Amino acid sequence: MAALENSRLVPDILREYGAMTRAALYKYLPSGEPRRHLYDLVADYPLRGGKMMRPSLCIATARAFGANSEDALNTAVAIELLHNALLIHDDIEDGSEQRRGQPTLHLEHGIPLALNAGDTLTLIALRPLIENRNRVGAAIAMKIIEETERMALASAEGQATELGWRRDNVIDLADADYLSMVLKKTCWLATIFPVRVGALIATRGAVDLDSFMRFGFFLGVTFQIQDDLLNLVGDRTYGKERDGDLWEGKRTLMLLRLFRESSAADRERLRSIMRADRNERVAADVVWMRAQMDHHGCIDYARRYAHRLAGAAMHEYSVVFARLPDSRDKRFLEEMVTWVIERN
Amino acid sequence: MSDRPRIRREDPNREAPVRNWSNLYRSAGQTAASKPSVKGTAVPMETTQLATEGAAAESAPGGVSAALEPVGAEAREEIESAYRVVDEHLQEGRRAARALSSGTDTTAPGAFATNPTGSPGAALAAERIQEMVAQGIRFYSSLAPLWAIIVNAIASSAHASNPAQAGTPMAAPLSPPPLARDGVATAAAPVSIELASTRMTRVTVDFVPHVKATGFTTSGLHAIEGDRPPLKDITFGTDSHSRPVVRIRVPDHQPAGIYNGVIVDTDSAEPRGTITLRIEI
């Protein structure tokens, strides 16, 4: 097996399956009127690009289990459309200002139009799921819809958990609380769902989909911690607002660690800063929080944490994929674990 | 030959080979469904480092005692905690699936033939229309009508493709009408049915759970033809969303026919609905 350090496999497959998914996805974007207030907005986030990790995981898993790319393509398209729909809603709910290197949709067009575009993207995502019946049969198409329902509920529950923490200014949380929230908010859509439906499509339901849960969870949570780290230390290619999570009061592993490690006085200051709305927060507060994180080693703590979880993901990979014959897609799935923590 | 004693390497301080990291947390054979054998594949340096850092050997789920090197307490606690989180979620999901699945899996081997559009699994999908409409459209409630259309479209297509359904257990459709009782508006609530039957069985439930009710019971389902034994294995519960679940088990040798029973509120002894079950040949 080639060393991962210089492997191009992950970026190559992300590009390849990403292009395949994008080409199919564009066919589902309406081109008629009303463009200015709806369909141009609907197409905005998908046209901005993105890593295409989610659809690639779906296609690669299906292929690793012996399916054709085309069998998984509709589902991959639906995954990417739903991801973009949720991004629009998340950006509004989080008060985010940048997405993929540009202003967020609601900052450009206002919240009502952005919300409507997000809803429309969700509706559009249903069409490829309907058309799945022509490719994989009605029973599997139905099963994919059931999986989609479960994923969507989990995502909504995870988002609600985090929004609730922010509204009620809950900071005194254990790392396990963070993991539970990320499992639902991030992992289901980002990793668990794509892998589960990929296997479902290829095996026609002959494998227990729960056996993919742990791999998806460890991969997804590693991805999220790295994403949170990049928000604090990433370069300009990251695509989101630097320190945006601190401005938004997002509950990250680093923030929870900072709260636990802080003195009573600093905890009180932290509580006070987090209690304020984003637009009431000042740059000095964000600079102070960032400096405190360095002082208490929160960045290194989270980085170590991510590496350990990546180790667990590697192990779970071996549990569920090891018996499959060697293939490019199987190696991609394995190398994804390293990629998620090495990306920048 | 030389008289010098042979140089012997000391026996390694271990009882079993430790060639890779893959058995650190739980053995590969312990996964629920897939039981892959983990081969001793060469692992890149980066991979080994990641895994070793993440090792929390003994007490992780299905843990194995071997570890490449001592694992710090912090690492152990982190990984154990992470496993607890995902395993609790798995249990939650399994409980929900049991409550929602009506005791049948449309994609189970044997339920799905090689031709997907003409399979018993497809027919089962058709039978799940009502249940899916009731349960499957919680995702974005404002979009519910469209989801209902989709589910119906897929399911009716499946049904049309294979009208033969004999010999397969199936889920029960139900759509209780909204009613008002005791001055309390009791809108029709989704009710799940878990039906365990190897026979072709149809179930209709007319059930309006009372808002104050804490439990339900039935004296069993009795055949219209009085010479047949009643169905007694019927229980009531709730799923993870606190919605009512009716669980019915049909014995393999239960005579064919139509069976009826009344659902009774255990607090007030008031009737709250009926169950009608038809067992085909």
Side-chain angles (χ1 to χ4, degrees), chain A residues 5 86 122-123 126 133 138 146 149-150 152 183 188 204 208 210 214 217 308 312 314-316 318-319, chain B residues 21-22 25-26 33 36 53 74 78 83 87 89 93-94 107 128 135 138-140 146-147 153 157-158:
Chain A
E5 194 175 3
L86 293 183
T122 308
L123 292 168
L126 302 177
R133 64 178 168 169
E146 288 180 313
E149 180 215 8
R150 186 173 176 191
L183 166 60
W188 258 100
R204 296 293 192 263
D208 177 10
D210 278 354
R214 292 189 184 93
F217 166 65
R308 287 165 182 154
M314 286 284 197
H315 168 69
E316 293 301 335
S318 78
V319 172
Chain B
W21 44 267
S22 56
Y25 309 135
R26 63 191 177 99
E53 275 207 67
E74 185 183 70
E78 285 170 6
Y83 268 105
D87 285 347
H89 186 73
R94 284 175 185 152
T107 60
R128 300 186 66 183
Q135 298 169 349
R138 294 189 300 276
F139 169 44
Y140 290 149
L146 188 67
W147 277 97
S157 158

Side-chain angles (χ1 to χ4, degrees), chain A residues 86-211:
Chain A
L86 293 183
L87 284 181
I88 294 174
H89 287 183
D90 288 356
D91 285 345
I92 294 168
E93 290 160 357
D94 297 345
S96 301
E97 296 187 346
Q98 281 196 341
R99 174 64 61 186
R100 293 174 181 159
Q102 297 176 43
T104 47
L105 201 64
H106 67 279
L107 283 190
E108 285 192 327
H109 301 280
I111 289 176
L113 283 177
L115 262 181
N116 194 49
D119 289 344
T120 308
L121 259 180
T122 308
L123 292 168
I124 292 170
L126 302 177
R127 175 49 57 182
L129 294 178
I130 297 170
E131 293 178 357
N132 252 341
R133 64 178 168 169
N134 302 324
R135 182 81 203 181
V136 297
I140 295 299
M142 176 72 85
K143 191 77 181 161
I144 292 169
I145 288 179
E146 288 180 313
E147 284 290 309
T148 308
E149 180 215 8
R150 186 173 176 191
M151 174 276 292
L153 275 177
S155 302
E157 288 170 8
Q159 178 74 346
T161 300
E162 198 193 13
L163 291 174
W165 288 344
R166 286 196 225 176
R167 190 197 66 179
D168 302 335
N169 201 25
V170 179
I171 316 174
D172 192 5
L173 295 160
D175 290 342
D177 297 320
Y178 169 83
L179 296 178
S180 292
M181 182 272 290
V182 170
L183 166 60
K184 291 184 170 183
K185 181 186 168 180
T186 303
C187 300
W188 258 100
L189 176 56
T191 48
I192 294 172
F193 177 65
V195 170
R196 280 169 68 98
V197 290
L200 170 66
I201 290 164
T203 66
R204 296 293 192 263
V207 295
D208 177 10
L209 298 183
D210 278 354
S211 55

Side-chain angles (χ1 to χ4, degrees), chain B residues 203-280:
Chain B
V203 180
T204 306
V205 176
D206 178 5
F207 182 34
V208 183
H210 190 273
V211 287
K212 293 177 185 169
T214 57
F216 301 96
T217 186
T218 178
S219 61
L221 305 186
H222 300 269
I224 294 174
E225 299 83 356
D227 57 340
R228 294 164 196 190
L231 287 163
K232 290 285 191 184
D233 196 351
I234 297 147
T235 56
F236 297 83
T238 54
D239 66 12
S240 57
H241 299 282
S242 301
R243 289 169 312 196
V245 180
V246 183
R247 298 184 179 90
I248 304 170
R249 178 176 297 280
V250 178
D252 289 350
H253 301 296
Q254 188 75 22
I258 299 172
Y259 296 80
N260 288 298
V262 178
I263 301 169
V264 177
D265 184 333
T266 50
D267 294 333
S268 64
E270 292 267 344
R272 296 295 174 203
T274 58
I275 303 175
T276 303
L277 184 144
R278 177 197 293 267
I279 303 172
E280 304 291 351

